[in-house]
Amino acid sequence: MEDPRKSMKPHPWLYAFVFVTGAAVMTLEMAASRFAAPFFGTSQIVWANIIGLIMIALSLGYWLGGRLADRYPRWHLLFAAVGMAGLLACAIPWTGPWVFHQLQAGITGTPIHIIVFSFFGILIMFAPPVFLLATVSPFVLRLSGRDVSDLGKVAGALYAWSTVGSIAGTFVTAFVLIPRLGTHMTIVLTSGALIVSAAMGLTAVSPRRWWWSWLLLLVPLVTALGGPRAVKPVQGLLFETETEYQYVQVAALPDGSTALIYNEGGGVQSLRRPGDALVPRDYYSYMTLLPYLSGNPSSDRMEGVVIGAAGGTILHLIDHYDQGSFPGLRLEGVEIDPVVAKLGPRYFGLNPARTPIRVADGRAFVTASQHTWDFAVVDAYSQQIYIPFHLATKEFFSTLADHLTTRGVMAFNVNAVSPDSPLLLSLLKTVQEVFPHFVVIRVPDSYNYLVIAGRSPLPTEALRALGMGRSPVSSIAREALAHLWRPTPEQLKRGMVLTDDRAPVEYLTDSMIWDVAGRGISP
């Protein structure tokens, strides 16, 4: 390769160099979100921290890189900075889990923890290599554009190639590298590409002096040969993977239950208790009441859907406990993550022949469906501590209502620290815009509020009749009747109607938890 010092204009290799460094910046940014997810989740707050810190690191790198390039216009400094960025990136898979775990230890999944600790975790692990990579553009421009008459042309070409690299880094990382290699190997591969680029540059500048820079490739090579390790080891770990959407764990709990956990573990997404027992404190158990509240007395045909099926706990329990009373019961689930959709039969007792799970976004599925259901469950509200806003708006509930029978019901669970929670009251006020009739069950010994709503009056007398029996579902019916709650009109006035245009569910969640934290109560 020609010595770049001999060129008055950028050597073609330099365009490839800025392409690689531009791609590396976006790869690290995309990887940061997946790396932080097992510890801090993937909420908008975490994404804001990632994007904000990456932008700060880039700004500081551009500024300091420009000053250093004017003061020390040396090619070896540029390539050394990129090599150091590669080494720092390679250290992330080894040191990152320990650092993130220490920052997370002893903290529950509140926004205080998410804002403060995710900020420092990302700052410590990802900001330094991005800062060093940001020095590339001003250095290359300073060292290549010596003829002022075409400085604009040179700058435009360099920034264009760097931006094309960033575009490639975004799409290749999201659609190829992370799904196929995982986050750790993606970072190691990026590290190797940076070290190779730096070694090529250093040997071009001075082959006799910098030949040893190629030995730095041993660092990512040894890291890669170390093989995959548990991202976040937990007791009883049965399964662990990264999907296109989240970090997923299946774990055996001390009480014999099997739990499906996403990301930082802010909530259990699916749970199978020994013997498929119904437990009053599990909101899943109360979903077995829905066929009785659907207003369809026929046992010959009844259809239900679970949006956000995860591992299929609700599908399995309804099928297991209600099929005897409703032989014509037909169930289906909707789950956006194809990897998670396959876990139900493996770990949670789901029979895919009886209760199939469709892979799709819940709202898109409902909108496109030609089906009409007797009951629908929206169980996508506990992916973390935040609610997917597009599944909590008046428009979504209206679309769902159009796919229910005349006396059909819709149910969802929401976490709230008190009956006066703005989040809970806003969801109830929004539901009331579409479903004038609803009941709320305060699940005992939890922060769960189960909302069941319909356009026609709910046949709560069916619960009283069911509660007279001795079956496991009868005991759940008695618990439900004992914990029925309805907000007053004055309470509902404090809520807001959530729409596709304005649904600040994360703000409402944050306000609720900040208020609890300010009063010194652990949610």
Side-chain angles (χ1 to χ4, degrees):
M1 185 183 68
E2 180 185 341
D3 186 342
R5 295 176 301 174
K6 299 176 182 178
S7 301
M8 295 296 290
K9 294 182 179 181
H11 189 279
W13 174 79
L14 287 177
Y15 293 123
F17 180 75
V18 297
F19 177 93
V20 169
T21 56
V25 169
M26 290 309 300
T27 296
L28 290 175
E29 181 171 354
M30 298 295 291
S33 68
R34 302 306 297 270
F35 204 91
F39 304 92
F40 305 111
T42 57
S43 72
Q44 185 173 338
I45 290 174
V46 175
W47 263 110
N49 274 346
I50 292 171
I51 296 173
L53 283 169
I54 294 296
M55 297 302 293
I56 291 172
L58 288 172
S59 298
L60 292 176
Y62 293 145
W63 174 77
L64 185 59
R67 294 177 67 90
L68 291 176
D70 284 338
R71 189 167 183 178
Y72 306 104
R74 303 288 187 271
W75 284 104
H76 71 272
L77 291 179
L78 166 65
F79 298 129
V82 172
M84 180 58 68
L87 291 176
L88 291 175
C90 195
I92 293 173
W94 289 96
T95 60
W98 182 85
V99 171
F100 279 38
H101 179 74
Q102 296 304 310
L103 292 172
Q104 184 199 42
I107 307 294
T108 58
T110 68
I112 298 175
H113 144 233
I114 291 173
I115 293 172
V116 176
F117 292 96
S118 67
F119 180 93
F120 283 109
I122 296 161
L123 177 67
I124 293 169
M125 300 311 306
F126 288 90
V130 171
F131 167 79
L132 290 173
L133 291 174
T135 65
V136 169
S137 293
F139 253 98
V140 172
L141 183 60
R142 172 67 175 82
L143 294 168
S144 301
R146 301 181 185 180
D147 185 353
V148 178
S149 63
D150 66 351
L151 185 59
K153 178 181 178 181
V154 171
L158 289 171
Y159 282 114
W161 278 99
S162 177
T163 302
V164 170
S166 295
I167 295 171
T170 300
F171 289 110
V172 172
T173 300
F175 297 117
V176 179
L177 295 180
I178 289 179
R180 293 183 178 274
L181 302 180
T183 302
H184 286 193
M185 286 303 298
T186 296
I187 295 174
V188 171
L189 183 64
T190 302
S191 166
L194 292 174
I195 291 174
V196 167
S197 299
M200 291 177 65
L202 288 170
T203 52
V205 170
S206 179
R208 295 182 179 178
R209 182 181 178 186
W210 297 103
W211 63 269
W212 58 267
S213 60
W214 290 95
L215 296 177
L216 297 178
L217 272 175
L218 292 174
V219 177
L221 181 61
V222 170
T223 301
L225 293 177
R229 295 171 291 121
V231 176
K232 190 174 66 172
V234 297
Q235 183 178 2
L237 183 65
L238 302 174
F239 175 83
E240 174 188 58
T241 192
E242 290 178 284
T243 75
E244 296 178 27
Y245 297 93
Q246 59 227 339
Y247 167 74
V248 175
Q249 286 181 318
V250 177
L253 304 183
D255 66 356
S257 302
T258 302
L260 172 64
I261 304 167
Y262 292 166
N263 296 325
E264 83 284 15
V268 173
Q269 314 309 313
S270 290
L271 183 71
R272 189 181 191 188
R273 292 193 178 276
D276 294 317
L278 297 181
V279 178
R281 65 176 178 274
D282 292 342
Y283 76 88
Y284 308 111
S285 300
Y286 293 84
M287 297 298 184
T288 59
L289 304 177
L290 293 180
Y292 298 90
L293 292 171
S294 68
N296 181 3
S298 171
S299 62
D300 298 329
R301 179 191 176 278
M302 179 178 290
E303 296 194 26
V305 64
V306 177
I307 299 166
T313 294
I314 295 174
L315 290 168
H316 175 62
L317 291 178
I318 294 177
D319 180 61
H320 181 73
Y321 284 100
D322 296 332
Q323 196 72 44
S325 300
F326 302 92
L329 181 61
R330 298 294 180 268
L331 300 170
E332 63 181 329
V334 184
E335 170 58 44
I336 194 172
D337 194 327
V339 175
V340 171
K342 297 177 181 179
L343 298 178
R346 184 175 177 183
Y347 295 104
F348 299 97
L350 193 69
N351 184 340
R354 294 176 56 82
T355 52
I357 294 181
R358 322 295 182 188
V359 177
D361 174 81
R363 181 162 178 175
F365 176 85
V366 172
T367 301
S369 178
Q370 302 299 316
H371 245 67
T372 300
W373 299 291
D374 294 285
F375 62 89
V377 178
V378 182
D379 194 36
Y381 287 3
S382 57
Q383 186 173 8
Q384 297 175 115
I385 57 173
Y386 294 103
I387 293 174
F389 88 92
H390 69 300
L391 298 179
T393 64
K394 178 181 176 181
E395 290 85 350
F396 169 69
F397 291 137
S398 296
T399 301
L400 187 58
D402 292 339
H403 288 78
L404 295 176
T405 58
T406 303
R407 299 183 63 83
V409 295
M410 179 271 298
F412 64 84
N413 173 72
V414 60
N415 292 326
V417 296
S418 78
D420 291 318
S421 161
L423 175 65
L424 174 62
L425 296 177
S426 294
L427 280 167
L428 293 177
K429 190 170 184 177
T430 304
V431 165
Q432 195 176 42
E433 291 284 310
V434 179
F435 299 98
H437 306 280
F438 67 88
V439 295
V440 182
I441 301 171
R442 298 179 64 175
V443 180
D445 302 320
S446 75
Y447 292 119
N448 295 312
Y449 289 75
L450 179 61
V451 181
I452 304 174
R455 285 182 167 175
S456 300
L458 301 179
T460 52
E461 66 277 3
L463 292 185
R464 295 185 178 89
L466 181 61
M468 300 295 291
R470 296 184 177 181
S471 69
V473 179
S474 296
S475 66
I476 294 298
R478 291 192 292 271
E479 288 286 343
L481 290 169
H483 293 91
L484 288 180
W485 171 77
R486 185 174 179 86
T488 65
E490 290 73 22
Q491 284 179 305
L492 285 177
K493 288 180 181 178
R494 296 200 292 271
M496 63 177 291
V497 176
L498 305 175
T499 66
D500 285 349
D501 179 61
R502 183 169 179 246
V505 290
E506 290 196 343
Y507 169 79
L508 293 172
T509 304
D510 293 343
S511 298
M512 173 179 64
I513 301 179
W514 276 96
D515 179 64
V516 172
R519 290 186 278 125
I521 304 173
S522 177

